[in-house]
Amino acid sequence: MRRFVAYILASLAIIFGIGVSFKPVATRINADLSYRSGSTISLRLDKRDDNTKDYSEDNCKEYAALVESRLVNYGVSDYKITVEGTRNINVTLTADNAKEYENIASLLSTNPIIEIANREGNASNDETEKAKEIQVRDEGETKWHSNSARLEFDGTTSIVVMPIPDGFKTKVEEMIKEAEKYEKTGKKSNDEEKKTPNSIVLWMNRAEGDSYPTDGKVTDPLLKRKVIYDQMNSTNFYYGTDKTAFQIRFTPTSSKVSDISDSYKSALYYKNLLNAVIADFDCVTTNIQSVAPTVENLLIFGDHVHIAMSSTFISLMIGFILICLILALFYRIGAVAIISTASLTAFLSFTIFVFFRPLFNIAALVGLISIFAMSIFIGILYNNYLHEELYKGRSLKKANFEASKKSTLVTVDTSVVAMILGICLYFIGGKTIASAGILLITFALLSLLINTFILKGFMWLITNNTSTQKQYKLFGVEPEKIPDLTKEEKQTYYGPYEKKDFTKKKKVSAIVFGSLTLVSVVGMIVFAATKGDTFNTANYYKTTNVLNLVLQNTEKSEPVSIDEIKTDYLAQVKNNGADLKYDTEIESYTYTEYIKENSETKTYYRYVYRINILETNVDANTFTYAGGASTNLSDALESCFEKLHPIDDISNSFYKANIYNLPGDIGLIFAASAISTITIGAYFWIRRNRLSRVLPVAGITLLSNVIGLGVVTLTRIPATPSMAISVACITGFTLLAAQYLMHKEKDLLRDERLRDVEVRKATIDKALRMGALPLINFGIIFSFATLTGLAIVNKTFSSVFLASTLGIVSSSLMLLTLYAPAANYLDLKLSKVKLPQVKIRKKKKVKVKSNEPEEAIFIGIND
């Protein structure tokens, strides 16, 4: 009884521990733009004085590529870049706080010409003495920009280290001496004299006339942007260990000095700023505007971070409860061990995932569901082996011992499948699905430990307990079907499907799934040829005609209302006499821009209105303003604005906004799934599974994926590139289910040297009937998980769960009806293939003559 109590208490402890620990872990999720509010940083290109390039879409795209490289170097993993017209770039991303958004905006819009100078002004208590300012800046071929700035970590905070080019060395040393010569004098807390060198300032894009205030208080907004760091003195300059490398070393100030993560990000910003490559255009940040997640927020941010009661969270809870009920129905008390170990495996995988801070996106969500289902799959097989041994008449202890042995290889193979699939997804599948690859790799390692020790420990506790030895119903086993070995009774029950011939409808099944595959392939080809959009991702990549209206004033005033924009401007433009078609939801925002004119900083208040124009052909000469001549939309709008508002105070631009960069690695995901299927198939073959078994599995994997994606394509459900994640989900399910059937066949056919095809045919048919129950349970559980997601989650990702569900159902049915006939057919054909035998010439044995033959003979006779 004590072991039974320990079994229950240990399970409750795991569930309770996960419940208590879930919030601290989940609130550290690094969610993507689908599951977390972000911001859109609006950038505008301006010509540099020395730039001969004109504004063009290609040049704007070139700068967008630079923006992307800066985002990657800073560590931003989820972003969307939109190139609009010839001068405008929008970058949508997520960050931890407003300061980080400002840092990223500064990094994206800056072409830093680096300069370092000692601070001019009062250098000592003697007001008559002034420090001689010495400047060291980018000039000629000697520049700071060598991509050599780096980070170091001293155990508590991050430090920025920037080597000083050899061409600057002499001048920097002169500047340091000047700073040390004039010292500021103050008093320590014990009234002792305290001297500090005159501070040294690290500048960016310093213009003529810019000087650091003597009181150290920077109020000019333009000057604030130009001062990178102003807390340096001679102690920040040092030689490297080899006494040759001259370097600057400083610790960035942080709003949370004790927070290592915040310190690192602050240092990372400085490092990337110092390493930034100079572009052909200058760039201005015009706006930073909050945007809602495309699906929903998983977390609520405030004084404390909380888990939002989102539809995603609710769907996961509902799916978990449904799975628990299904397991309890089939495995009774054994379901407690399955749920506990599966929950522990999934939670620890999730915890490690969150610790390393990769992006949590739809791929991570599907990966989390998949690893939970995989762990349940191992528990189902363990309990199924236990049932089989009990139906042989073994005692509970002996049955558990045998089940433990048989489930070991299944656990190992499941981890291998997960590892191979995870590695392929991470290194080949692209950034969209890399998070799912991380979860699968983590699961593969944890599953070996947890299911080898904890699951088996749980089952040992419940099966080696005296009070449960004859309580077969506690395990979902029917006592009347267990033979009594003391009476020499033989096993008569082999599972609920022992007499079910799943292959009886193989022709019907082949016709149905063959037709679905054919229709899916034809449909995808037709849509690709006629619409250029196989999976109906047009809404995701669509090009939008955007009107960008900017009003500006040197004094802060109330912006023009959206109603005025509609009635005074847009209503005046007609298309063939009809009203202009545009989106009624007009986006507006305000930003402040500082411009230096005649050594004075002027402030401009700008009011921006973004209007999506719904006209299909904006270049047609069918648009008019106030009854004027027909022209294209851009000219008609320009005429409208010139008449209604002074040109000095209003500017407008009309352009087509085309999406330049989006996470949509469909081809890479397909390639990763295909390579993982081939690799895992080779692993099955190496594990001495016949080629006649491996090839049907590869075929079923391919067909189920085609059917899942094809049906979604034919229904024209709006999809995103993330739909391809379903390929990995279907592939993983099919390969796991198939490897179990192969294990079951090998269990029944111990002597693998048998060459009798008929024996193997009977064995695989029996293995299919005996393995049908766990296979069906696994399919139901996985389908319930994906169906729950389909029913509740946002429609943005409905195609992911619909394709996954269709593929899993198709895969399950094909494994039950077509796997065995296909394997038997290939076995028959391949058994007739006679490989040429290589004749090996036998060497003649050389008889060695003894030096003393007579003595040996005599010894033999005497014996």
Side-chain angles (χ1 to χ4, degrees), residues 726-742:
S726 59
V727 174
C729 184
I730 297 167
T731 300
F733 169 83
T734 307
L735 295 174
L736 281 181
Q739 62 100 3
Y740 166 67
L741 292 179
M742 294 179 190

Side-chain angles (χ1 to χ4, degrees), residues 766-840:
K766 186 176 181 180
L768 182 63
R769 291 193 296 270
M770 293 180 66
L773 180 62
L775 178 60
I776 292 172
N777 288 342
F778 184 42
I780 290 173
I781 287 172
F782 219 136
S783 299
F784 262 148
T786 53
L787 276 172
T788 304
L790 175 63
I792 297 179
V793 300
N794 187 281
K795 63 181 181 180
T796 305
F797 297 127
S798 60
S799 58
V800 175
F801 294 99
L802 178 59
S804 298
T805 303
L806 292 171
I808 290 168
V809 172
S810 300
S811 175
S812 301
L813 294 175
M814 281 191 280
L815 284 172
L816 289 172
T817 58
L818 298 178
Y819 167 70
N824 288 329
Y825 175 79
L826 287 175
D827 197 7
L828 182 63
K829 294 298 181 181
L830 293 175
S831 64
K832 296 179 181 180
V833 177
K834 302 295 183 182
L835 296 176
Q837 295 182 352
V838 180
K839 293 184 179 180
I840 301 175

Side-chain angles (χ1 to χ4, degrees), residues 481-780:
K481 295 179 180 179
I482 297 177
D484 189 348
L485 298 183
T486 59
K487 299 180 181 179
E488 297 186 353
E489 293 179 358
K490 301 295 183 182
Q491 182 179 2
T492 58
Y493 181 73
Y494 294 91
Y497 300 108
E498 60 176 325
K499 297 180 180 179
K500 178 72 175 178
D501 186 5
F502 291 101
T503 62
K504 187 176 181 180
K505 302 291 184 180
K506 59 186 176 184
K507 291 184 179 179
V508 176
S509 181
I511 292 171
V512 170
F513 290 111
S515 301
L516 283 174
T517 303
L518 180 61
V519 171
S520 298
V521 172
V522 171
M524 287 190 282
I525 293 173
V526 169
F527 283 118
T530 58
K531 295 183 178 296
D533 183 19
T534 304
F535 301 113
N536 194 23
T537 56
N539 288 333
Y540 198 65
Y541 289 111
K542 69 180 179 181
T543 297
T544 306
N545 298 317
V546 176
L547 169 64
N548 205 42
L549 177 62
V550 182
L551 305 178
Q552 70 178 30
N553 203 330
T554 53
E555 295 181 2
K556 197 166 188 179
S557 60
E558 288 295 323
V560 178
S561 69
I562 291 178
D563 288 337
E564 288 180 86
I565 295 294
K566 291 180 179 179
T567 56
D568 293 348
Y569 298 148
L570 301 179
Q572 307 302 318
V573 180
K574 304 292 182 181
N575 183 11
N576 280 325
D579 291 338
L580 186 68
K581 296 177 182 176
Y582 59 88
D583 196 334
T584 55
E585 293 295 326
I586 297 178
E587 178 185 339
S588 65
Y589 58 85
T590 303
Y591 71 94
T592 305
E593 187 170 351
Y594 305 99
I595 298 176
K596 195 165 188 176
E597 295 179 356
N598 300 322
S599 71
E600 180 185 351
T601 301
K602 293 190 71 173
T603 304
Y604 287 91
Y605 301 95
R606 303 189 188 273
Y607 310 100
V608 182
Y609 305 85
R610 288 172 51 88
I611 304 132
N612 289 327
I613 303 296
L614 304 179
E615 301 288 352
T616 55
N617 191 356
V618 296
D619 297 323
N621 292 323
T622 57
F623 297 90
T624 59
Y625 163 69
S630 296
T631 182
N632 59 52
L633 179 57
S634 180
D635 290 342
L637 287 169
E638 186 175 350
S639 299
C640 169
F641 299 138
E642 286 178 354
K643 295 284 181 62
L644 294 176
H645 212 282
I647 194 67
D648 291 338
D649 294 345
I650 184 169
S651 62
N652 71 288
S653 56
F654 175 78
Y655 47 79
K656 294 180 180 179
N658 48 39
I659 295 174
Y660 170 65
N661 178 278
L662 280 175
D665 310 316
I666 296 181
L668 293 177
I669 297 173
F670 287 160
S673 298
I675 292 172
S676 60
T677 301
I678 295 171
T679 307
I680 294 169
Y683 169 74
F684 287 160
W685 193 18
I686 292 171
R687 292 272 289 111
R688 302 190 69 185
N689 290 294
R690 292 178 175 274
L691 194 61
S692 59
R693 274 58 173 163
V694 175
L695 291 179
V697 172
I700 290 172
T701 303
L702 175 63
L703 294 182
S704 55
N705 275 302
V706 170
I707 292 170
L709 295 175
V711 174
V712 173
T713 300
L714 295 173
T715 57
R716 304 312 287 166
I717 295 175
T720 68
S722 301
M723 187 185 71
I725 298 167
S726 59
V727 174
C729 184
I730 297 167
T731 300
F733 169 83
T734 307
L735 295 174
L736 281 181
Q739 62 100 3
Y740 166 67
L741 292 179
M742 294 179 190
H743 273 294
K744 176 56 62 178
E745 182 185 5
K746 290 178 71 173
D747 286 341
L748 296 175
L749 190 61
R750 293 294 183 184
D751 190 354
E752 296 185 12
R753 293 172 296 175
L754 288 174
R755 301 291 180 182
D756 191 340
V757 176
E758 291 301 319
V759 172
R760 292 198 297 271
K761 179 180 182 301
T763 305
I764 195 172
D765 290 340
K766 186 176 181 180
L768 182 63
R769 291 193 296 270
M770 293 180 66
L773 180 62
L775 178 60
I776 292 172
N777 288 342
F778 184 42
I780 290 173

Side-chain angles (χ1 to χ4, degrees), residues 344-459:
L344 182 62
T345 306
F347 178 72
L348 290 180
S349 300
F350 177 64
T351 302
I352 295 173
F353 174 86
V354 171
F355 177 79
F356 286 103
R357 301 286 290 170
L359 202 63
F360 186 89
N361 54 10
I362 184 62
L365 181 61
V366 173
L368 193 61
I369 292 172
S370 299
I371 62 175
F372 182 65
M374 287 180 181
S375 192
I376 284 178
F377 175 66
I378 295 174
I380 286 175
L381 295 187
Y382 193 113
N383 278 266
N384 194 70
Y385 279 127
L386 180 68
H387 288 189
E388 289 177 1
E389 296 302 321
L390 289 174
Y391 284 127
K392 290 179 181 178
R394 300 186 190 276
S395 66
L396 198 57
K397 290 182 181 180
K398 182 63 176 176
N400 178 66
F401 178 76
E402 293 296 327
S404 178
K405 285 197 304 182
K406 290 183 177 180
S407 65
T408 299
L409 282 179
V410 175
T411 302
V412 171
D413 280 358
T414 300
S415 294
V416 170
V417 169
M419 179 65 74
I420 294 174
L421 188 59
I423 290 173
C424 290
L425 294 180
Y426 182 78
F427 288 103
I428 303 172
K431 65 180 180 181
T432 302
I433 203 170
S435 53
I438 295 172
L439 279 168
L440 285 169
I441 293 170
T442 307
F443 162 80
L445 300 174
L446 290 175
S447 176
L448 277 176
L449 297 174
I450 294 175
N451 290 300
T452 300
F453 297 103
I454 298 181
L455 176 62
K456 290 185 177 181
F458 270 123
M459 296 305 295

